[in-house]
Amino acid sequence: MPRIALISAMQQELSLVLQHMQHSPASAACQCVGGRNFWTGQLFGRDVVAVLCGIGKVSAATTATLLVERFAVQSLLFTGAAGGLGEGVAVGDVVIASALLQHDMDASPLFPRFEAPLYGRAQFCTNAALSDALAQAARSALAAPAAALGDNAVAEFALHRPQLHRGLVISGDRFVSTKLESDTLRQLLPQALAVEMEGAAVAQVCHDFGLPFAVMRTISDRADDTAHVNFMRFIDRVASRYSWAVLRALLARA
Ligand code: SAH
């Protein structure tokens, strides 16, 4: 059976996945490679490997490579949080990436700004079928936010009508937390919906190995001067629960 990798950057984001893997009939086994814990097991009868990749592009690329080479995964799904950049991409919304780009890649004037040198491209596309399946699962989870999050979190973060967006997600080794920086990114990359720190690195590794990959990010902040304020609480109360609700809908369905 094809093995699926479930990747997140932060502990809180993976905790529900691990809890459910440990309670599945084929209980999860843990293997530590390169300082990361890879949990192999089953969810809804599907073979999965869950791993916390850590924060940033190098950590994400190392993890993705290990998943491919050591754990023989056949597809990769990344779930986590991101800062909203696009107009109308609000806290509590969900973004599914159609393509990813490294916003801090700049080998100009040798290569155009943002282009991954020697790849002839700046953007790496996600797999359309996997992203469509993820979007369908996200739509069903977002239709009933209280079922995924509980009433308290819905009220605390005023999440009454979360929207689903699909498009460009940008990654870089910076937590974007000033209005100045997010305005600059918006100006340079007007089509970018959200900013995070890992997705484009995993996308490049998946491109290299020819493997399907999809990314879902819950918007935790607007990448502005208040980005850090409720960040960890939001990850715990909202982003991690959406991730689980969407993964559950996706894996249980197929
Ligand atoms: N405070 C955390 C660090 C979070 S870094 C800690 O101490 O562990 C932010 C994480 O969320 C990254 O994994 C990144 O992918 C995502 N993210 C959310 N909002 C972001 C933003 N505004 N800019 C960049 N990454 C963001």
Side-chain angles (χ1 to χ4, degrees):
M1 201 191 311
R3 196 185 247 184
I4 306 169
L6 306 177
I7 319 169
S8 292
M10 284 184 286
Q11 176 65 44
Q12 294 80 350
E13 294 171 335
L14 208 64
S15 60
L16 290 170
V17 167
L18 293 181
Q19 264 172 41
H20 285 86
M21 279 175 76
Q22 271 144 11
H23 290 121
S24 92
S27 61
C30 181
Q31 210 178 319
C32 184
V33 186
R36 291 146 177 80
N37 288 330
F38 293 81
W39 293 88
T40 51
Q42 290 204 329
L43 272 178
F44 305 104
R46 321 221 356 180
D47 285 335
V48 297
V49 189
V51 61
L52 208 60
C53 70
I55 293 168
K57 293 188 298 176
V58 173
S59 297
T62 305
T63 309
T65 309
L66 285 171
L67 283 164
V68 177
E69 282 289 292
R70 288 270 191 124
F71 293 89
V73 299
Q74 272 101 30
S75 59
L76 295 87
L77 283 174
F78 199 113
T79 60
L85 283 181
E87 201 184 323
V89 180
V91 171
D93 287 359
V94 165
V95 173
I96 295 191
S98 52
L100 296 109
L101 163 157
Q102 296 180 49
H103 68 77
D104 55 356
M105 174 60 79
D106 187 359
S108 60
L110 302 176
F111 297 92
R113 186 161 182 191
F114 306 121
E115 187 169 304
L118 306 178
Y119 281 80
R121 64 171 76 211
Q123 296 189 17
F124 291 87
C125 288
T126 53
N127 178 267
L130 200 54
S131 299
D132 284 349
L134 201 55
Q136 206 175 327
R139 253 183 229 109
S140 66
L142 289 181
L149 308 176
D151 289 327
N152 291 347
V154 168
E156 178 180 350
F157 295 97
L159 304 173
H160 295 293
R161 278 173 200 269
Q163 302 293 308
L164 176 68
H165 309 267
R166 298 181 70 175
L168 180 67
V169 171
I170 60 175
S171 315
D173 287 324
R174 298 181 59 78
F175 181 65
V176 179
S177 54
T178 63
K179 185 172 180 309
L180 182 66
E181 195 177 348
S182 48
D183 280 346
T184 307
L185 287 173
R186 257 188 295 275
Q187 213 166 40
L188 288 166
L189 296 162
Q191 71 280 40
L193 296 179
V195 60
E196 37 89 313
M197 301 177 68
E198 298 84 18
V202 181
Q204 188 169 330
V205 173
C206 290
H207 170 86
D208 289 346
F209 286 96
L211 285 177
F213 163 61
V215 184
M216 171 203 141
R217 296 278 186 172
T218 302
I219 300 302
S220 52
D221 58 87
R222 278 289 299 173
D224 58 13
D225 305 71
T226 63
H228 62 288
V229 175
N230 276 327
F231 183 77
M232 289 316 289
R233 189 166 169 80
F234 184 90
I235 300 300
D236 195 38
R237 305 292 303 278
V238 181
S240 63
R241 295 177 197 205
Y242 269 158
S243 294
W244 170 243
V246 173
L247 288 175
R248 183 179 52 194
L250 181 80
L251 297 172
R253 201 178 51 101

